[in-house]
Amino acid sequence: MTASGTGPVPRSLTVPVDGGGLAVTRWPGPGPLVIAVHGITANSLAFAAVAEELPDADLYAPDLRGRAAGAALPGPYGLAAHVRDLLALLDHLGRRQAVLLGHSMGAFVAALAAARHPERFPRVVLVDGGLGFPAPPGTDIDELLRAVIGPAMERLSMTFADREEYLAFFRAHPALAPHWGPWVTAYVERDLTGRAGELRSSCVLDAVRADGADVLGDPEVLAAVHQPQVRGALLWAERGLLDEPRALYDAARVAAAGLDPDRMPARRVDGTNHYSILFPPAAAEVAAAVRASAPGEAGE
C-alpha cells in the first residue's frame, strides 16, 4: 500500500546490467514513461510522494549502483556508469524515450544522460541539482562531500545497535524531522543493512566517492546542463541540506551560471529544503514540472 493509501502501488523488478541486476521500483500508470534518479546516498523510495502525485505516469526509479538494493553491483562507479544503467533500463522496457527526473546527484546523472543521448532522453526535470560549480583543484573530495552533504556522508561510517537507533538518527535530522511519516520512514529503512548490533547504511563508500568526484570536478558532467540538446526545467529548494537558510542554489548563482531560460527555465520552490522538495506539498510542484516536460511521444 502507498503511504497515503492512494495512488499507484509500487512494484519491484530487476533489470540486467553490467555486473548483475539493477533493482528498480515501479509505480505503474497509463501515461508517459518517467525514470527517476536519486541522490548520492539516497534510494528509489525518495520519489514515493512524487509518484503518488503522478498516477498518470509510468514511473521507474532504480536503486543506483552502490546503493540500497543496488549495493552489490560492482564498479566501475561514476556518473557514466549510471547513464549506462539508465539506457539498459530503457532498452529492457523496450521503449524509445523517457522523461528523466533527477534529484541532487541524480540531476547531474539526468543532465549527462540527456547530453549524451538526447534521442532517448529528450526532457529532464532537475531538482536541487544538475547545475554544478567546480571545486578548486586539489580539493579533498571526502572533506568537500562532508562539508556539502553533512550527516548523509557521516552515517556511511556509522553502525547502529538496532532499527530504532537508526531511525532516531534520522528523526533528529533538521531537514527531515518536520516531515517525518510513512514516506520518510520507508525511504530511510531501504538504506539499512547488516545484522542486529551492526546495522549500517548500504551505500558503498567507493561509489559515493566516485560519483562525488564527478559532480564536483568532471568537465563533461559540469558542462552537461549547458548543452543545447538538454531541455527541461530546474527546480531548486529555498533552504539547504540541514534546513539552513543557505541553500545549494539561489537566484543570483543560477543567473550567473548562464542557463538559457527558454531551454531550461529555473525557479525556486518556496518553503522547502533539499529533501522536503520531494515531499508533500512540494511533491505536487515537482510532479507538475514532470507532467509539463512529457511530450505526447515520450516513451513511445
Side-chain angles (χ1 to χ4, degrees):
M1 179 173 290
T2 59
S4 68
T6 63
V9 176
R11 303 174 184 174
S12 299
L13 66 150
T14 302
V15 174
V17 295
D18 289 345
L22 183 72
V24 180
T25 301
R26 179 193 183 193
W27 290 267
L33 176 62
V34 179
I35 298 177
V37 193
H38 65 69
I40 195 165
T41 63
N43 61 71
S44 60
L45 294 189
F47 296 103
V50 175
E52 289 206 17
E53 296 288 345
L54 282 170
D56 48 334
D58 195 11
L59 193 152
Y60 292 77
D63 285 334
L64 294 180
R65 187 174 293 262
R67 285 84 173 173
L73 283 171
Y77 303 111
L79 269 60
H82 299 315
V83 171
R84 291 191 294 272
D85 289 343
L86 296 181
L87 286 170
L89 170 58
L90 194 55
D91 290 342
H92 179 77
L93 298 175
R95 307 291 288 274
R96 182 171 64 89
Q97 293 183 340
V99 175
L100 284 181
L101 165 62
H103 174 243
S104 192
M105 181 209 74
F108 288 90
V109 177
L112 181 63
R116 288 186 172 188
H117 306 283
E119 75 286 356
R120 309 300 302 274
F121 306 112
R123 294 289 187 277
V124 297
V125 176
L126 311 179
V127 180
D128 221 34
L131 177 63
F133 306 95
T139 299
D140 184 288
I141 294 300
D142 281 2
E143 287 185 7
L144 188 54
L145 283 172
R146 287 189 178 93
V148 174
I149 64 176
M153 187 70 176
E154 176 187 349
R155 83 171 193 274
L156 302 189
S157 60
M158 297 175 65
T159 58
F160 302 88
D162 52 35
R163 173 180 174 273
E164 288 308 313
E165 183 181 338
Y166 173 78
L167 291 178
F169 172 82
F170 282 98
R171 286 196 191 98
H173 194 297
L176 296 176
H179 308 279
W180 196 264
W183 279 298
V184 182
T185 302
Y187 160 63
V188 301
E189 284 190 326
R190 191 170 179 87
D191 182 48
L192 188 61
T193 190
R195 298 177 296 181
E198 297 179 346
L199 297 175
R200 57 179 176 79
S201 167
S202 64
C203 292
V204 176
L205 184 56
D206 285 347
V208 172
R209 284 173 172 151
D211 293 347
D214 282 353
V215 167
L216 296 170
D218 183 88
E220 184 186 7
V221 170
L222 293 169
V225 73
H226 300 286
Q227 301 306 309
Q229 67 270 32
V230 179
R231 308 183 67 86
L234 168 65
L235 308 180
W236 80 86
E238 181 180 4
R239 300 174 69 84
L241 281 85
L242 297 177
D243 201 44
E244 72 273 31
R246 181 173 174 81
L248 293 178
Y249 300 104
D250 57 45
R253 295 187 84 197
V254 172
L259 284 180
D260 180 351
D262 293 325
R263 180 180 57 80
M264 186 66 64
R267 68 180 184 275
R268 186 179 77 179
V269 180
D270 293 338
T272 61
N273 61 51
H274 181 71
Y275 298 98
S276 68
I277 196 170
L278 295 180
F279 305 153
E285 188 164 344
V286 174
V290 172
R291 198 172 289 113
S293 296
E297 69 272 14
E300 292 180 358

